[in-house]
DNA sequence: GCTCTTTCGCTACGAGTCGTAGCGTAACTC
DNA sequence: GAGTTACGCTACGACTCGTAGCGAAAGAGC
């Protein structure tokens, strides 16, 4: 729920918000769900370019004005509609760093194979190049949240002894953060580029080759850093 | 000139086309240049989302109908307008594979830092997910043409002895082609992701770290492939 | 020169989308 | 019950799209 304009849909209140709860008719949580679902359906059928606010409203069976009361525009709506899909990504423990990476690469590829995610992700990123607020939202809703997978995989590999532990002190923490950022960009970037720009399949064979490359690089990088 | 509808702008004819040359008033090459330049200017000022065909026509001082006579729509026009920028990329020989890669990474980053390229590239790729013809054009006009940089860098490194030579026979050639594809997706993907999705700068320090990672991976990959 | 062919600029048009305003009604809090 | 907010609906001006039709311009072929 990144692009919501005000707040407080119907549902359980948190903390002292119960006391300061706003009066009046609450927003329908069901409408929210219907709108986001309708947005995803419209993305599948029409793609980003031909998707219109009026069409989404009709699918969700809400008034067009209700859409504009909650989201500033198409960008924010679509971002919210697809951001939740990225939270489904997980990092199952397959016993080795190589298998962990291959697993997450294939999972990510499956997500990007869905028509609603691929058309929406690229389009929203494109719009974010001329909209700073949108860029911030993308970072919060997608980028930063998925870095957890890299952090998690790295910790596991360090526990297994496959990678050296972080250096001590603030310096070591900064170096570790830089490594996480770099690895994240390499993995996500390579998969996205292969799938959407090159337009070729991210299958098990490619994932294996990519992982081999990355793993060799990781050992070289970590041993000297 | 990928998205042109028919052909033959004013200019020197090639081969026997001189004899079979069509009669009638030729298309204005100056108008072509003005339109593409106007498109880039509009991209800078408005970004993909707010760019309109009417606006481009006004900037280029041509009639809107002239635009539609040459390009099917916004997608094709913008692709042609930015594709030429990618041809400026070169691979200067800096003496070592590491320096060559760092150089091309920084060059690519500088290209992606330009507002017209970043907003256009992502948007056109997004549209291509629901338009097969457009996807093919992107591959021809951008992707395949830039793979030359990888091929070139690889050959240089092999000549220097920094990488092992390709294996013999059709099998070796296929493996080499797969390697080129993989490396291309990793380099281009990582830089694009860092610059546009993560939204952080691709500076010399990042390029050095990335190159170190890739280089270690390359040696590991090539030695066993 | 002349004719033929194609492109050009211009105007006008219906269709579709945008985002908002206004209104009466529904839902919930105190 | 009073107060407040969300909702559905309609209508609207502004804008963009992509096309059609016209007369004029620019070159090719004779």
């Amino acid at each position: 729920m990144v692009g919501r304009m005000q707040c407080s849909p119907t549902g359980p209140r948190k903390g002292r918000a119960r006391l300061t709860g706003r009066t009046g008719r609450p927003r329908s949580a069901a409408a929210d769900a219907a709108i986001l679902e309708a947005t995803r359906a419209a993305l599948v059928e029409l793609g980003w370019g031909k998707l219109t606010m009026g069409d989404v409203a009709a699918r969700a069976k809400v008034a067009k004005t209700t859409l504009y009361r909650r989201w500033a525009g198409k960008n924010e709506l679509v971002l919210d509609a697809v951001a939740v899909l990225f939270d489904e990504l997980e990092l199952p423990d397959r016993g080795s760093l190589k298998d962990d990476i291959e697993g997450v690469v294939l999972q990510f590829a499956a997500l990007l194979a869905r028509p609603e995610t691929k058309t929406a992700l690229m389009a929203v990123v494109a719009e974010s190049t001329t909209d700073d607020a949108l860029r911030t939202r993308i970072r919060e809703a997608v980028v930063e949240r998925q870095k957890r997978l890299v952090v998690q995989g790295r910790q596991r590999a360090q526990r297994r002894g496959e990678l050296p532990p972080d250096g001590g002190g603030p310096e070591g923490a900064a170096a570790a953060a830089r490594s996480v950022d770099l690895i994240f960009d390499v993995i996500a970037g390579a998969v996205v580029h292969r799938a959407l720009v090159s337009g070729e399949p991210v299958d098990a064979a490619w994932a294996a080759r990519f992982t081999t490359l990355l793993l060799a690089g990781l050992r070289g990088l970590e041993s000297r850093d």
Side-chain angles (χ1 to χ4, degrees), chain A:
Chain A
M1 297 302 167
V2 177
R4 303 295 297 283
M5 304 207 65
Q6 293 167 8
C7 53
S8 77
T10 301
R13 302 287 171 71
K14 318 164 195 169
R16 63 194 183 84
R18 182 189 302 274
L19 299 175
T20 353
R22 302 204 313 198
T23 69
R25 177 177 179 176
R27 286 190 174 169
S28 162
D32 256 58
I35 291 170
L36 293 177
E37 178 57 36
T39 304
R40 286 186 287 268
L43 280 172
V44 172
E45 285 184 31
L46 307 173
W48 165 269
K50 294 181 181 172
L51 180 147
T52 68
M53 297 293 271
D55 185 78
V56 171
R59 287 171 191 260
K61 291 173 184 168
V62 296
K64 198 173 56 165
T65 45
T66 298
L67 275 185
Y68 283 104
R69 287 190 187 102
R70 306 189 184 197
W71 286 276
K74 189 167 152 176
N75 294 339
E76 291 78 5
L77 171 62
V78 169
L79 176 58
D80 273 10
V82 301
V84 296
L85 301 178
F86 283 82
D87 289 335
E88 296 172 4
L89 292 176
E90 285 178 5
L91 188 65
D93 192 333
R94 300 191 175 187
S96 74
L97 180 55
K98 176 175 170 57
D99 290 337
D100 284 2
I101 296 179
E102 280 192 36
V104 81
V105 162
L106 290 175
Q107 244 186 83
F108 190 39
L111 180 60
L112 284 182
R114 299 175 61 168
E116 64 269 37
T117 50
K118 60 177 160 193
T119 191
L121 182 65
M122 289 292 100
V124 172
V125 169
E127 289 300 306
S128 79
T129 61
T130 56
D131 181 341
D132 287 337
L134 185 63
R135 165 180 302 183
T136 302
R137 286 179 177 177
I138 292 176
R139 289 183 56 156
E140 291 171 354
V142 181
V143 178
E144 291 300 327
R145 302 187 63 150
Q146 303 316 319
K147 272 188 193 167
R148 65 188 161 83
L149 297 170
V150 177
V151 173
Q152 197 176 337
R154 182 186 164 91
Q155 286 173 346
R156 255 189 221 158
Q158 288 173 331
R159 232 176 285 133
R160 292 192 194 111
E162 293 174 297
L163 290 178
D166 294 352
E171 194 119 340
R178 280 199 304 270
S179 265
V180 168
D181 286 353
L182 175 62
I183 295 163
F184 179 68
D185 283 326
V186 169
I187 296 179
V191 174
V192 169
H193 198 274
R194 167 86 177 177
L196 303 188
V197 182
S198 294
E200 301 193 34
V202 178
D203 50 20
W206 187 87
R209 289 175 52 77
F210 169 71
T211 304
T212 302
L213 175 72
L214 178 61
L215 223 57
L218 278 184
R219 298 201 210 287
L221 184 69
E222 301 279 344
S223 64
R224 77 160 62 181
D225 199 42

